[in-house]
Structures are given as C-alpha cells and as structure tokens.
Amino acid sequence: DTGVSQDPRHKITKRGQNVTFRCDPISEHNRLYWYRQTLGQGPEFLTYFQNEAQLEKSRLLSDRFSAERPKGSFSTLEIQRTEQGDSAMYLCASSTRGQTDTQYFGPGTRLTVL
Amino acid sequence: AQSVTQLGSHVSVSEGALVLLRCNYSSSVPPYLFWYVQYPNQGLQLLLKYTTGATLVKGINGFEAEFKKSETSFHLTKPSAHMSDAAEYFCAVSEDDYKLSFGAGTTVTVRA
C-alpha cells in the first residue's frame, strides 16, 4: 500500500491558463474522489468515479472543470481558463466500494492563480 | 441534506490536558461519522469512524469519540494532549453512498 499520490504538489499559474492535476489512487481501490479545500474551510466534494465511470458531479464543478479516469486507475482534473477564485488545495481520495469504507486522501495539489 | 458544525475554530490546550473537539451534525437518516486530522502540507488522515454498533469509538493516537443520537453529536476527545497533536481536525458525515461533508475544521495548538 503506497498510498494516494498527487502530482504536482504545487502549481502557480496565470489567470486564463489551463492546468491539469493527476491523482494515482491506492491500486485496489475502485472509487476515486476529488475535493477542493479553500483556506479555513473543510474539503468540499467535487466529483467521484466508480472504476472509469464518473457517477456524480457537484454543482461546484463548473463547465471549466473536467475530470477523467480513463482506465479506472489514475485520474486527471483539468481546469480551463483559470480564475483567481480557483486558487485552493485540490485533494484526491480513494476507497473500496461502500459508504462506510474509509476514504484515503492524498497530499493534495495547491493551486495558486495570479 | 446533511451538514456538520464544529464549535470553535481554534482550541488551545496545555500538554497533558484533556482535548475536547465538538462536532454536531444534521441528518435525516442515521449517519456515518468520521474524524480526520490534517497536519501542515499533508492530506487528511482518518482518526476514527462510526458506522453501526458501539457508540463509543476508539481511534488512533489515543483519540476516541462518542456518537450521541439524541444530541446529534460526535465529539472527539483525548485524555492527555501531546505536542504532536497540534494539527487541524475535521469532522465529516456521510449520508449518501459516496461523498463526505466536512465541517470547517478546528485547529489545535498544544502549549508546553
């Protein structure tokens, strides 16, 4: 069990640029989640995958955001035309199937939009 | 829809003193409840969770929490604080099959 990994750990970009983050879940986990955490707040759910299928998206996920999990393994989160309000920590988590199963979190990618 | 309220955004305790972090939830169905800890520049780590069964749940690092349905609470305690307990703590609830809803967090500082 190598844990959930995320890349990059930090990203600084200019407003209007596109950015892409990667998440590698724990290998045997079917579910993968994306959350966003802003300063002084708890994480907020963005979206999740069961294998390669994206099953739920929060209304926080505007049309500038897109997430994929093409082979049911790693996932990418892309933000197009970044805005300063997108500055946040983006957290990825994974779990086996089930509501009571523990979600294991990665270290996060901190995005700063200038 | 569920929500989580953590009372007190900052808690300061002396080393060796009791740590008490308060969490109240609103839920229309019996919830599943979690406490996570976040150290600086790290992801969240599960401390403990309540799903069913015994309402007093023991977790890692000496923490425990008690689910009280009548009070809609899930407070986290540790009898004796250690310097390494300084971190941010999040209470979370899961009603749906997938997402966690988190409180705003409580930052714990430990005084020597």
Side-chain angles (χ1 to χ4, degrees), chain A residues 76-87:
Chain A
T76 58
L77 178 67
E78 180 183 15
I79 309 174
Q80 296 183 328
R81 305 181 303 281
T82 53
E83 302 173 355
Q84 287 186 325
D86 297 331
S87 296

Side-chain angles (χ1 to χ4, degrees), chain A residues 64-110:
Chain A
R64 296 185 296 106
F65 288 70
S66 62
E68 294 182 343
R69 194 183 184 197
K71 297 183 179 180
S73 57
F74 72 92
S75 175
T76 58
L77 178 67
E78 180 183 15
I79 309 174
Q80 296 183 328
R81 305 181 303 281
T82 53
E83 302 173 355
Q84 287 186 325
D86 297 331
S87 296
M89 176 76 85
Y90 290 84
L91 294 167
C92 176
S94 70
S95 74
T96 54
R97 186 172 183 173
Q99 184 176 3
T100 61
D101 293 336
T102 299
Q103 293 186 21
Y104 293 87
F105 284 80
T109 294
R110 181 168 296 283

